[in-house]
PDB file of all heavy atoms in Angstrom:
ATOM      1  N   ASP A 247     209.694  -5.090 -57.528  1.00 96.00           N
ATOM      2  CA  ASP A 247     210.899  -5.650 -58.045  1.00 96.00           C
ATOM      3  C   ASP A 247     211.850  -5.968 -56.955  1.00 96.00           C
ATOM      4  O   ASP A 247     211.791  -5.456 -55.836  1.00 96.00           O
ATOM      5  CB  ASP A 247     211.448  -4.883 -59.223  1.00 96.00           C
ATOM      6  CG  ASP A 247     212.325  -3.703 -58.744  1.00 96.00           C
ATOM      7  OD1 ASP A 247     212.207  -3.279 -57.597  1.00 96.00           O
ATOM      8  OD2 ASP A 247     213.127  -3.220 -59.532  1.00 96.00           O
ATOM      9  N   LYS A 249     215.733  -5.568 -56.162  1.00 93.00           N
ATOM     10  CA  LYS A 249     216.850  -4.814 -56.741  1.00 93.00           C
ATOM     11  C   LYS A 249     218.258  -5.331 -56.410  1.00 93.00           C
ATOM     12  O   LYS A 249     219.157  -5.197 -57.203  1.00 93.00           O
ATOM     13  CB  LYS A 249     216.812  -3.390 -56.234  1.00 93.00           C
ATOM     14  CG  LYS A 249     215.630  -2.533 -56.804  1.00 93.00           C
ATOM     15  CD  LYS A 249     215.873  -1.021 -56.696  1.00 93.00           C
ATOM     16  CE  LYS A 249     214.874  -0.255 -57.495  1.00 93.00           C
ATOM     17  NZ  LYS A 249     213.578  -0.092 -56.830  1.00 93.00           N
ATOM     18  N   GLY A 261     219.871  -3.620 -61.848  1.00 91.00           N
ATOM     19  CA  GLY A 261     218.694  -3.144 -62.524  1.00 91.00           C
ATOM     20  C   GLY A 261     217.422  -3.826 -62.134  1.00 91.00           C
ATOM     21  O   GLY A 261     216.346  -3.260 -62.345  1.00 91.00           O
ATOM     22  N   PHE A 304     206.096   6.266 -63.902  1.00 98.00           N
ATOM     23  CA  PHE A 304     206.413   5.100 -63.004  1.00 98.00           C
ATOM     24  C   PHE A 304     206.725   5.722 -61.633  1.00 98.00           C
ATOM     25  O   PHE A 304     207.629   6.524 -61.495  1.00 98.00           O
ATOM     26  CB  PHE A 304     207.654   4.416 -63.612  1.00 98.00           C
ATOM     27  CG  PHE A 304     208.473   3.489 -62.782  1.00 98.00           C
ATOM     28  CD1 PHE A 304     209.520   2.768 -63.388  1.00 98.00           C
ATOM     29  CD2 PHE A 304     208.338   3.311 -61.396  1.00 98.00           C
ATOM     30  CE1 PHE A 304     210.332   1.937 -62.663  1.00 98.00           C
ATOM     31  CE2 PHE A 304     209.148   2.464 -60.686  1.00 98.00           C
ATOM     32  CZ  PHE A 304     210.147   1.830 -61.330  1.00 98.00           C
ATOM     33  N   ASN A 320     209.853   7.974 -62.266  1.00 97.00           N
ATOM     34  CA  ASN A 320     210.539   7.716 -63.545  1.00 97.00           C
ATOM     35  C   ASN A 320     209.571   7.971 -64.651  1.00 97.00           C
ATOM     36  O   ASN A 320     208.300   7.918 -64.419  1.00 97.00           O
ATOM     37  CB  ASN A 320     211.024   6.225 -63.633  1.00 97.00           C
ATOM     38  CG  ASN A 320     212.071   5.907 -62.569  1.00 97.00           C
ATOM     39  OD1 ASN A 320     213.095   6.529 -62.516  1.00 97.00           O
ATOM     40  ND2 ASN A 320     211.804   4.971 -61.722  1.00 97.00           N
ATOM     41  N   ARG A 322     209.103   6.468 -67.646  1.00 98.00           N
ATOM     42  CA  ARG A 322     209.150   5.300 -68.582  1.00 98.00           C
ATOM     43  C   ARG A 322     208.691   4.090 -67.783  1.00 98.00           C
ATOM     44  O   ARG A 322     208.444   4.185 -66.595  1.00 98.00           O
ATOM     45  CB  ARG A 322     210.636   5.055 -68.942  1.00 98.00           C
ATOM     46  CG  ARG A 322     211.424   5.000 -67.655  1.00 98.00           C
ATOM     47  CD  ARG A 322     212.798   4.537 -67.775  1.00 98.00           C
ATOM     48  NE  ARG A 322     213.493   4.749 -66.466  1.00 98.00           N
ATOM     49  CZ  ARG A 322     213.515   3.830 -65.538  1.00 98.00           C
ATOM     50  NH1 ARG A 322     212.977   2.673 -65.648  1.00 98.00           N
ATOM     51  NH2 ARG A 322     214.180   4.100 -64.360  1.00 98.00           N
ATOM     52  N   GLY A 324     209.254   0.423 -65.948  1.00 97.00           N
ATOM     53  CA  GLY A 324     210.358  -0.146 -65.210  1.00 97.00           C
ATOM     54  C   GLY A 324     210.820  -1.490 -65.872  1.00 97.00           C
ATOM     55  O   GLY A 324     210.039  -2.029 -66.631  1.00 97.00           O
ATOM     56  N   ASP A 325     212.058  -1.884 -65.513  1.00 96.00           N
ATOM     57  CA  ASP A 325     212.547  -3.128 -66.087  1.00 96.00           C
ATOM     58  C   ASP A 325     213.222  -3.811 -64.879  1.00 96.00           C
ATOM     59  O   ASP A 325     214.135  -3.238 -64.371  1.00 96.00           O
ATOM     60  CB  ASP A 325     213.541  -2.798 -67.175  1.00 96.00           C
ATOM     61  CG  ASP A 325     213.882  -4.023 -68.031  1.00 96.00           C
ATOM     62  OD1 ASP A 325     213.489  -5.175 -67.585  1.00 96.00           O
ATOM     63  OD2 ASP A 325     214.453  -3.894 -69.121  1.00 96.00           O
ATOM     64  N   PRO A 326     212.769  -4.951 -64.444  1.00 97.00           N
ATOM     65  CA  PRO A 326     211.901  -5.936 -64.998  1.00 97.00           C
ATOM     66  C   PRO A 326     210.401  -5.804 -64.733  1.00 97.00           C
ATOM     67  O   PRO A 326     209.657  -6.728 -65.034  1.00 97.00           O
ATOM     68  CB  PRO A 326     212.438  -7.245 -64.420  1.00 97.00           C
ATOM     69  CG  PRO A 326     212.824  -6.842 -63.009  1.00 97.00           C
ATOM     70  CD  PRO A 326     213.293  -5.453 -63.101  1.00 97.00           C
ATOM     71  N   GLU A 327     209.947  -4.681 -64.134  1.00 98.00           N
ATOM     72  CA  GLU A 327     208.496  -4.664 -63.850  1.00 98.00           C
ATOM     73  C   GLU A 327     207.601  -4.789 -65.082  1.00 98.00           C
ATOM     74  O   GLU A 327     206.517  -5.430 -65.079  1.00 98.00           O
ATOM     75  CB  GLU A 327     208.124  -3.284 -63.157  1.00 98.00           C
ATOM     76  CG  GLU A 327     208.701  -3.137 -61.751  1.00 98.00           C
ATOM     77  CD  GLU A 327     210.114  -2.461 -61.758  1.00 98.00           C
ATOM     78  OE1 GLU A 327     210.811  -2.594 -62.754  1.00 98.00           O
ATOM     79  OE2 GLU A 327     210.321  -1.760 -60.786  1.00 98.00           O
TER      80      GLU A 327
HETATM   81  N1  LIG B  22     213.390  -1.755 -61.937  1.00 88.35           N
HETATM   82  C1  LIG B  22     213.645  -0.398 -61.680  1.00 88.35           C
HETATM   83  C2  LIG B  22     213.751   0.531 -62.810  1.00 88.35           C
HETATM   84  O1  LIG B  22     213.423   0.200 -63.960  1.00 88.35           O
HETATM   85  O2  LIG B  22     214.153   1.688 -62.617  1.00 88.35           O
END
Side-chain angles (χ1 to χ4, degrees):
D247 83 337
K249 289 200 171 80
F304 159 177
N320 295 303
R322 51 168 173 91
D325 195 347
E327 292 93 329

